Amino acid sequence: MKFSIIVETFEKMENTTKRLELTQYLVDLFKNTPSDLISKVVYLIQGKLRPDFDGVELGVAEKLAIRAISKSAGIPIKKIEEVYNKGGDLGHAASKILEQKTQTTFVKEPITTERVYETLYKIAELEGLRSQDMKMKYIASLLNDATPLEARFILKILLGTLRLGIADNTVMDALAIAYTGSKENREPLETAYNVSSDLGKVAEAIATKGLDGTKKFEISVFNPIRPMLADRVKSEQEALEKIGNEFAAEYKLDGERVQIHLKGEKVVLFSRRLENITSYYPDIVEKTPKILKARDAILEAEAVAINDDTGEFLPFQELMHRRRKYNVEKAVERYPITINFFDALYLDGKSCLDMPYSQRRKTLEDIVTEDNFARLVPMTTVKTESEIEEFLENSINAGCEGLMLKVLNAPYRAGMRGSNWLKLKREYRNELGDSLDLVVIGAFFGRGRRTGRYGTLLLATYNDNEDVFPSICKVGTGFTDENLDQFYQLLSDKVTLKKNPRVDSEMEPDVWFEPELVIEIVASEITLSPIHKAAKDIIRKGSGLALRFPKFTGKIRFEKAPEDASTDQEVVSLYKGQKKIKQEIGQA
Ligand code: ATP
């Protein structure tokens, strides 16, 4: 398949932000793609070579790319840097330079998608001493045969700057339309994606075996399952109203969610956002085969930092010291953890997803051998407000955040947030009753003590209907000096020249960022706003919602993708909840 078909689609996509148009371009592209290539095309349109959990990363540095362009075009590095500095986009710069070159050389054989993919894959896999030179040669050879437009997108993929604004849902819509004629058939694709987290694999199934292929999709160990998520409730009473009668209450531990995959002696760990985090927890890897009476299994647990002397739980921040590439052994010693199991998704060749919660819990009890390191999350069944209250009290006393309330006969709904699981946090840290996880979309430079760093951040919610990030507030409170340095470091490689097409904001900060980093915020109130875009037109026509007196809690939510941030819907329900409370107080 000619690579030009793909890049022509990319170019059209870059020029629209309308989801319907994006979907149609994808449908046309998929229809032109042979089925043995579809998975690779699906990865490429998302700027990847494999699903995220595989950890295949291109990560080519700009410097190396510039050397490759120089070699391919026979133009000095300085010249390329000049063109690049004028425009600010290396892909465009390469395309301009090569345009001049193609006018003077003869036309080559068109490059194929297969060749581009294979070469990029080789580049990603190269390691070691001479790898930089080899990478440079591979890139230059691709650029030699590429048209200027192809070169532009090859560079964007290599540098990790291809951002076409295509959400997973858009890809699934387009696959359903391309292969079955209608978006209505998306559900089996979604289910298949939820149990495999691999859109390429889903695409291949529908392209080669049709809808039936996606319906027969099976869980496989080492392919992470998208996690089930909880709705939040503010009181025991609200929980009872939502899930009635009798349900399970578990401690909500304040650690990191870990999906543990075991086959024989091999253990692989995935985070909440399905990154491979095996290297951070050598202790879990070593102990899991001994703890579990199982041949192969996929289990969920919360890793929590503990005080080694007392065995008490420590807050989430302590655990983040484990996130390092070097000296992991030392960190394991300095920051000991416990692993607290709360769900069983797969056991010895069989999926547990359709089992009711009570049976999955029983399965866990049967296979986990508890000791100082491995435990089952404390659980009880509750029926009344006072029973919930009592268990909540115990959980807070044990250093937990609150409770998870789970419907006893509900299956595990992978990838879904819903009311079969509820979270109830005790600590009303602010008048809103809960914190929000917001995406950093821009910043204003600081003054005084904050000069040279970002003094104020512009934040957004996630609008999952339209797949955009609408602004909700500016925040400049709650930052320590260390936070300010950390933000500057973390955000400086996310700076973009223009507002990202998925960002919706009328405010103009000093710098825009790729919407990637998620931070936790508390606030005193949610108000209607003429400027901010979160939940626009929902409460009142022409108004959005904004946070009053927002404050950073100190938590950077590394484990959350921007699409996991608080949604407009959540903000609307908090807004309505606060109005209700106000009315009740007014009446009293
Ligand atoms: P939060 O911001 O409250 O941590 P979240 O968006 O990460 O929430 P939710 O599904 O809303 O995810 O809340 C559940 C989270 O709480 C899980 O991701 C997990 O990390 C953690 N957790 C702690 N204890 C439990 C438990 N017993 N059962 C399920 N999840 C638990």
Side-chain angles (χ1 to χ4, degrees):
M1 178 187 181
K2 284 190 207 158
F3 190 55
S4 58
I5 300 181
I6 296 192
V7 295
E8 279 156 20
T9 311
F10 284 179
E11 197 183 27
K12 286 190 228 157
M13 289 180 146
E14 264 194 343
N15 293 324
T16 181
T17 50
K18 295 200 185 99
R19 186 160 163 192
L20 274 182
E21 281 179 18
L22 281 175
T23 313
Q24 191 51 48
Y25 294 141
L26 280 181
V27 171
D28 296 342
L29 176 63
F30 292 158
K31 283 187 172 164
N32 276 317
T33 305
S35 51
D36 60 344
L37 209 60
I38 187 82
S39 61
K40 291 175 181 161
V41 169
V42 165
Y43 301 131
L44 284 176
I45 56 178
Q46 296 197 310
K48 301 173 191 170
L49 295 176
R50 294 281 306 145
D52 287 340
F53 64 82
D54 252 6
V56 177
E57 274 177 33
L58 276 161
V60 166
E62 281 188 349
K63 270 209 169 127
L64 186 78
I66 291 175
R67 273 173 59 207
I69 302 168
S70 156
K71 185 173 158 67
S72 162
I75 289 176
I77 288 179
K78 264 219 139 69
K79 257 262 150 68
I80 294 164
E81 282 174 345
E82 259 169 40
V83 183
Y84 174 35
N85 287 338
K86 262 189 223 152
D89 180 310
L90 196 51
H92 276 284
S95 156
K96 257 196 185 155
I97 289 160
L98 292 172
E99 240 162 48
Q100 291 160 11
K101 185 190 157 200
T102 23
Q103 284 161 8
T104 57
T105 50
F106 55 89
V107 182
K108 307 250 168 55
E109 276 280 293
I111 54 172
T112 61
T113 308
E114 290 86 337
R115 176 176 164 200
V116 174
Y117 183 88
E118 272 153 32
T119 313
L120 294 178
Y121 206 95
K122 278 188 205 147
I123 293 172
E125 294 223 298
L126 280 170
E127 276 177 17
L129 221 55
R130 291 196 46 242
S131 64
Q132 297 302 312
D133 279 342
M134 289 297 291
K135 282 185 189 185
M136 206 264 292
K137 280 186 192 141
Y138 278 132
I139 302 171
S141 85
L142 265 188
L143 295 183
N144 269 344
D145 298 336
T147 64
L149 187 67
E150 287 166 344
R152 182 168 125 211
F153 286 106
I154 288 173
L155 279 162
K156 278 181 182 258
I157 298 174
L158 279 166
L159 297 166
T161 54
L162 178 76
R163 299 207 170 85
L164 302 168
I166 314 171
D168 296 343
N169 283 340
T170 317
V171 178
M172 285 189 272
D173 280 350
L175 285 170
I177 299 170
Y179 292 102
T180 74
S182 163
K183 197 165 101 167
E184 303 299 311
N185 291 323
R186 199 181 87 177
E187 207 183 299
L189 280 112
E190 221 171 309
T191 313
Y193 179 47
N194 285 337
V195 301
S196 67
S197 316
D198 187 341
L199 268 184
K201 211 167 159 183
V202 176
E204 197 173 87
I206 192 158
T208 54
K209 299 186 199 126
L211 259 193
D212 260 0
T214 57
K215 285 180 190 153
K216 291 196 190 109
F217 226 75
E218 286 189 0
I219 295 179
S220 60
V221 181
F222 308 132
N223 251 49
I225 295 170
R226 299 183 70 228
M228 176 164 174
L229 299 169
D231 268 349
R232 61 177 113 202
V233 284
K234 279 214 260 173
S235 64
E236 291 80 359
Q237 195 196 346
E238 193 186 341
L240 283 170
E241 276 165 21
K242 276 205 163 149
I243 53 178
N245 298 334
E246 190 183 18
F247 46 91
E250 293 178 355
Y251 283 8
K252 184 176 194 305
L253 297 130
D254 190 16
E256 172 162 37
R257 185 175 192 157
V258 184
Q259 200 176 98
I260 303 177
H261 289 234
L262 166 83
K263 192 173 213 152
E265 293 289 303
K266 185 175 173 192
V267 175
V268 176
L269 309 175
F270 297 103
S271 70
R272 180 191 182 288
R273 55 188 295 197
L274 310 181
E275 292 156 322
N276 188 323
I277 48 167
T278 314
S279 66
Y280 301 134
Y281 295 108
D283 37 1
I284 305 182
V285 173
E286 187 213 316
K287 291 175 187 164
T288 299
K290 295 171 201 140
I291 294 163
L292 300 180
K293 291 183 227 106
R295 209 172 357 104
D296 33 310
I298 304 177
L299 305 182
E300 281 199 305
E302 189 87 353
V304 186
I306 52 154
N307 178 326
D308 216 7
D309 298 327
T310 62
E312 282 168 326
F313 289 138
L314 296 175
F316 173 78
Q317 281 93 326
E318 285 298 306
L319 197 67
M320 287 297 105
H321 295 293
R322 283 282 189 108
R323 291 238 162 193
R324 51 166 81 184
K325 287 215 170 94
Y326 309 104
N327 288 332
V328 177
E329 260 66 48
K330 255 200 195 136
V332 168
E333 224 171 86
R334 258 188 89 183
Y335 304 102
I337 58 164
T338 57
I339 185 85
N340 304 269
F341 292 90
F342 63 81
D343 221 319
L345 313 186
Y346 181 85
L347 180 66
D348 292 339
K350 285 199 201 86
S351 165
C352 306
L353 299 187
D354 290 330
M355 290 179 186
Y357 164 84
S358 45
Q359 200 182 337
R360 300 200 311 275
R361 172 79 191 191
K362 172 83 181 44
T363 306
L364 266 188
E365 287 167 6
D366 289 344
I367 61 168
V368 175
T369 320
E370 288 190 273
D371 60 14
N372 280 344
F373 179 75
R375 298 170 193 172
L376 287 169
V377 169
M379 184 278 263
T380 185
T381 49
V382 285
K383 282 187 185 146
T384 62
E385 255 183 77
S386 61
E387 281 172 355
I388 306 176
E389 221 174 275
E390 196 185 321
F391 202 55
L392 180 61
E393 207 61 54
N394 294 345
S395 126
I396 304 286
N397 286 337
C400 300
E401 276 189 312
L403 294 182
M404 296 292 296
L405 304 167
K406 301 181 177 179
V407 175
L408 288 168
N409 58 10
Y412 188 97
R413 303 284 308 278
M416 304 281 172
R417 190 183 287 282
S419 50
N420 283 333
W421 280 15
L422 299 177
K423 54 179 169 184
L424 173 64
K425 294 194 198 174
R426 171 48 170 285
E427 218 189 330
Y428 292 147
R429 281 174 290 189
N430 57 93
E431 291 145 48
L432 276 189
D434 208 343
S435 56
L436 292 167
D437 294 321
L438 301 175
V439 187
V440 185
I441 54 172
F444 300 85
F445 285 115
R447 291 200 211 131
R449 216 165 43 90
R450 297 187 178 184
T451 306
R453 296 179 289 184
Y454 302 128
T456 309
L457 304 180
L458 181 62
L459 304 179
T461 50
Y462 178 53
N463 173 340
D464 50 350
N465 274 332
E466 286 168 37
D467 190 35
V468 293
F469 299 96
S471 75
I472 184 162
C473 69
K474 289 199 304 185
V475 64
T477 329
F479 303 149
T480 60
D481 270 356
E482 203 186 337
N483 292 149
L484 290 171
D485 287 341
Q486 197 179 11
F487 278 132
Y488 196 73
Q489 276 178 30
L490 286 170
L491 290 165
S492 49
D493 65 346
K494 304 194 191 320
V495 174
T496 55
L497 280 185
K498 297 188 293 204
K499 183 165 69 177
N500 182 293
R502 291 169 78 200
V503 164
D504 185 10
S505 163
E506 225 168 75
M507 266 191 185
E508 281 285 332
D510 295 332
V511 274
W512 291 110
F513 302 122
E514 291 294 345
E516 279 172 12
L517 192 72
V518 180
I519 64 174
E520 193 183 71
I521 295 292
V522 289
S524 69
E525 207 183 339
I526 301 175
T527 55
L528 285 166
S529 160
I531 300 162
H532 287 293
K533 304 284 190 175
K536 182 140 194 276
D537 296 334
I538 294 186
I539 305 286
R540 185 193 293 161
K541 198 117 200 79
S543 293
L545 292 178
L547 297 186
R548 202 157 157 246
F549 301 129
K551 185 176 167 202
F552 175 53
T553 63
K555 271 193 191 175
I556 300 177
R557 307 291 316 247
F558 289 110
E559 78 288 13
K560 286 203 168 180
E563 291 81 6
D564 297 322
S566 302
T567 58
D568 278 8
Q569 283 315 321
E570 286 176 67
V571 177
V572 167
S573 70
L574 284 174
Y575 177 83
K576 289 186 177 156
Q578 101 194 347
K579 277 200 78 165
K580 212 164 116 196
I581 292 172
K582 274 189 188 159
Q583 277 161 5
E584 279 161 12
I585 296 170
Q587 279 158 12

